[in-house]
Amino acid sequence: MKPKILNLLLLLSFQMGYLEWGTNQHQFIFEAQFEIVSKAFENLMSVLHPFTVLPFLGECLLIFTFFQKKISRRLTITGAFLLGFLMTILLLIGLASLKIKIILSVLPFWVVFYLIWKKRN
């Protein structure tokens, strides 16, 4: 599979991560990102946290690779690891609380991550 397609699949599968907390409170990552960006325009300091900044940097790196003629494997892997930081936390939360929706939402990301990791340039 082409590297650009794998990077796009990685970004899309990351967006489908599912968050669930408290009673009757849940969001997909793309919904949470929209809220974070909205809040960042009001008060940047309120959204600066490793769980928000690191995945954002990972997304920026992966988006940057779309503009390269030959996609940098190093940038792709770095971006994937930065996104994987949050997805690992979600997977651990899903396993610890036995929330099948959370577990299933992170599996596509890890499948694409594995394909990128094993792909040879």
Side-chain angles (χ1 to χ4, degrees):
M1 200 174 277
K2 291 185 177 184
K4 283 189 180 187
I5 293 173
L6 285 173
N7 284 6
L8 179 63
L9 289 174
L10 191 68
L11 281 170
L12 292 175
S13 62
F14 174 74
Q15 297 299 320
M16 293 296 111
Y18 184 73
L19 312 159
E20 190 174 307
W21 66 98
T23 53
N24 210 16
Q25 295 188 31
H26 49 87
Q27 279 184 326
F28 287 99
I29 288 179
F30 70 90
E31 294 172 314
Q33 279 186 320
F34 181 76
E35 280 187 33
I36 290 168
V37 170
S38 298
K39 288 180 183 177
F41 286 116
E42 296 170 13
N43 183 5
L44 181 61
M45 295 306 289
S46 70
V47 298
L48 293 180
H49 188 277
F51 289 140
T52 59
V53 174
L54 294 177
F56 178 73
L57 291 174
E59 285 181 309
C60 290
L61 286 176
L62 289 174
I63 290 169
F64 177 74
T65 64
F66 290 123
F67 300 105
Q68 295 180 313
K69 278 189 176 185
K70 184 178 187 294
I71 291 183
S72 167
R73 180 168 166 75
R74 181 171 285 156
L75 287 180
T76 297
I77 295 297
T78 303
F81 270 104
L82 290 171
L83 295 179
F85 171 71
L86 180 59
M87 295 307 264
T88 300
I89 299 299
L90 286 179
L91 180 61
L92 292 174
I93 289 169
L95 292 171
S97 61
L98 298 175
K99 303 274 187 178
I100 195 73
K101 289 179 185 177
I102 296 174
I103 295 168
L104 291 177
S105 76
V106 300
L107 289 180
F109 174 85
W110 289 112
V111 168
V112 176
F113 183 90
Y114 176 77
L115 291 173
I116 289 172
W117 185 258
K118 290 298 177 183
K119 179 123 176 106
R120 301 286 185 233
N121 286 341

